[in-house]
Amino acid sequence: MKRFLALALSLALLAGCAPIQSVDGPAASSQPTAQSQPEPAAVSEPEPEPEPEPEPVVSHLMVAGDVMSHMPLTNDCYVKETDSYDYGHVLQFAAQQLELADFAVANLETTLSGGPEYSGYPRFNSPDGLAYSIKESGIDLLCTTNNHCMDRGFDGLSRTLDVLDEAGIPHLGTYRTQEERDENSGIYVADVGGISVAFLAYTYGLNGLRLPSGKPFAANVFNTDYYTTLSNPNYELLEADMAAARALDTDLIAVIIHWGLEYHTTQNSHQENLAQFLVEQGADLVLGGHPHVLQPYETVTAAGPDGQQRQGFVIYSLGNFISNQNFSDDRLKDLATKTTVILDLELTKDSDGSTSLTDVRYTPYYMIHRNGKPVGDRRYLVNVSQAMAEYQAGESAIVDKNAYQQLQQAQNLCHEILGEEGDRPSE
């Protein structure tokens, strides 16, 4: 009987533990079973943020014209106290703009052959102080090949490069040894604010002089008949040098070239044909000088070495930068040789590596002559717009009524030759 009661009790207890059944099916349990636990949600990894597109590299290459020192200019830069020469007052206004450049170039159209016998035209020799003042003004590279580079012979050419080295100014176009010419085929590669530019430089001739015997490397001359008719470009030399420049794989190639007819404010067909050839060979920038006056700029389209159409920017002449030419018998020539610009070329390198010229602007400058003033206060290269504004405000110690009229004429001449739309200040 006890066993029966115990068995009955056990069955009752087991029945109490069983879930309650409904007519419709099993009832939900108050606690979910292990099998009914929901699967934990999969934790998704956050999407990586996309890499930002690299910002384009934008830089400014500034280009000035011919650096010359005729004797009135040389004399105005003499400092008696130190028995030296300083061109700082002449260049002070240009320096204000050049300091905004990522890189600046000019053409040194004189020699630095040593004093004290300095000279101007026709055989130039200027004080070493010119190199140091040019450096302080913000010029980063000087072209040294032009029709005056042999004015004092090979010794003068070599000493000029020695002085530039001492002053810390890179140079190209003339060379002291064959090894110098062979290095990079005489090409100078510059970092222009993060954009690499290969610079080459050439002159049409040497004012009837010849390269020294056994020293064909001394100067880059692009004509085979450079001491006679000046009409036959050495295409073999140019092709070889341009191929070497392309092989350097820089972002851009620039050619500084001494060519054209003096005192002509328009280019000739010889310049146009040579510019076309240089663009065909890969030149992106062709920067001309020698006429001593401004000549226009334009975009040249040509088929490149790969057969694809390409474009190059050409300015046929930047005129004089600093000089002291004086044509009292020819008002227009006098104005034109004192009028110049600093060219501001905006270069842009996109995220895909392609690099192009994206803006062209210029700032007019004018060489003011103040004869009769004390030494050190006679010659100034002034920013035309700035000097005119100071005169109008009654704040100029340099510009008088006559000089103001010259500045107006210089500004008009720049607009006539280069177009008014390019006359915008550098930023």
Side-chain angles (χ1 to χ4, degrees):
M1 182 66 178
K2 288 181 181 178
R3 287 199 302 269
F4 175 79
L5 288 173
L7 178 60
L9 182 59
S10 298
L11 292 171
L13 289 172
L14 289 171
C17 292
I20 299 172
Q21 301 289 321
S22 72
V23 294
D24 298 319
S29 167
S30 61
Q31 294 294 327
T33 63
Q35 288 83 357
S36 65
Q37 287 281 354
E39 290 286 332
V43 179
S44 59
E45 293 292 329
E47 288 287 333
E49 292 190 12
E51 289 289 327
E53 284 288 326
E55 291 291 327
V57 176
V58 180
S59 68
H60 287 263
L61 170 65
M62 294 192 187
V63 190
D66 300 336
V67 176
M68 311 183 76
S69 192
H70 303 83
M71 285 310 297
L73 178 56
T74 300
N75 293 337
D76 189 44
C77 296
Y78 180 65
V79 182
K80 184 177 180 180
E81 293 76 12
T82 57
D83 190 27
S84 63
Y85 291 81
D86 187 344
Y87 292 72
H89 71 283
V90 181
L91 291 161
Q92 60 181 301
F93 302 108
Q96 293 172 4
Q97 179 178 358
L98 293 171
E99 70 178 7
L100 302 176
D102 291 288
F103 199 81
V105 301
N107 171 58
L108 181 66
E109 194 162 356
T110 183
T111 69
L112 307 173
S113 303
E117 295 181 1
Y118 301 117
S119 57
Y121 182 82
R123 295 283 184 260
F124 282 92
N125 178 31
S126 303
D128 296 355
L130 176 61
Y132 291 88
S133 295
I134 285 291
K135 172 68 174 179
E136 291 171 5
S137 75
I139 296 294
D140 300 293
L141 176 66
L142 282 172
C143 166
T144 52
T145 186
N146 48 68
N147 60 312
H148 287 288
C149 66
M150 287 289 297
D151 277 3
R152 293 300 183 99
F154 182 73
D155 288 344
L157 180 151
S158 296
R159 188 182 184 281
T160 299
L161 303 185
D162 293 341
V163 174
L164 295 180
D165 286 343
E166 292 168 4
I169 306 181
H171 46 82
L172 82 159
T174 58
Y175 310 92
R176 288 161 288 205
T177 66
Q178 184 67 57
E179 289 73 23
E180 280 188 342
R181 178 58 173 85
D182 290 344
E183 185 178 355
N184 260 6
S185 296
I187 300 164
Y188 181 84
V189 177
D191 179 358
V192 182
I195 294 174
S196 59
V197 181
F199 284 92
L200 304 89
Y202 301 91
T203 180
Y204 73 91
L206 303 171
N207 276 353
L209 301 173
R210 295 198 186 198
L211 291 168
S213 177
K215 294 180 172 63
F217 55 79
N220 285 345
V221 184
F222 70 76
N223 280 321
T224 57
D225 55 344
Y226 67 88
Y227 52 89
T228 54
T229 55
L230 308 171
S231 59
N232 297 313
N234 188 343
Y235 291 114
E236 184 178 349
L237 169 70
L238 295 173
E239 283 182 3
D241 288 351
M242 291 299 293
R246 295 195 304 272
L248 293 172
D249 199 27
T250 54
D251 296 314
L252 296 173
I253 297 173
V255 179
I256 304 172
I257 189 162
H258 216 64
W259 60 2
L261 297 177
E262 291 182 332
Y263 315 119
H264 287 234
T265 56
T266 56
Q267 72 277 14
N268 58 31
S269 59
H270 184 70
Q271 290 168 277
E272 291 175 340
N273 293 337
L274 194 54
Q276 183 84 16
F277 173 79
L278 291 171
V279 174
E280 288 173 358
Q281 293 296 312
D284 301 288
L285 309 171
V286 179
L287 312 171
H290 172 62
H292 302 300
V293 296
L294 292 170
Q295 291 182 346
Y297 58 76
E298 66 176 350
T299 299
V300 171
T301 301
D306 58 359
Q308 300 296 313
Q309 290 292 103
R310 62 186 319 278
Q311 292 185 326
F313 170 85
V314 180
I315 182 162
Y316 290 101
S317 176
L318 282 145
N320 295 329
F321 184 45
I322 60 170
S323 66
N324 203 106
Q325 290 189 291
N326 189 3
F327 296 94
S328 56
D329 59 339
D330 189 327
R331 185 182 64 83
L332 289 179
K333 187 184 291 187
D334 192 63
L335 173 70
T337 53
K338 294 176 182 175
T339 301
T340 187
V341 301
I342 293 178
L343 191 68
D344 184 351
L345 303 178
E346 180 187 85
L347 312 177
T348 301
K349 184 175 182 177
D350 292 325
S351 56
D352 62 1
S354 60
T355 307
S356 59
L357 174 64
T358 47
D359 190 28
V360 178
R361 61 182 69 188
Y362 67 83
T363 302
Y365 283 82
Y366 185 76
M367 279 294 301
I368 287 185
H369 292 184
R370 289 154 45 94
N371 297 321
K373 295 291 183 178
V375 170
D377 194 29
R378 296 173 180 169
R379 301 292 183 265
Y380 291 91
L381 179 66
V382 300
N383 179 318
V384 170
S385 296
Q386 178 185 7
M388 290 173 64
E390 289 175 353
Y391 175 79
Q392 292 165 356
E395 299 172 352
S396 178
I398 298 174
V399 178
D400 58 17
K401 182 178 180 180
N402 183 54
Y404 180 76
Q405 293 174 343
Q406 294 172 19
L407 294 175
Q408 289 179 308
Q409 294 167 355
Q411 185 179 62
N412 291 337
L413 183 63
C414 289
H415 293 173
E416 179 184 331
I417 297 172
L418 303 179
E420 186 173 353
E421 66 281 358
D423 183 359
R424 290 174 284 128
S426 298
E427 298 173 352

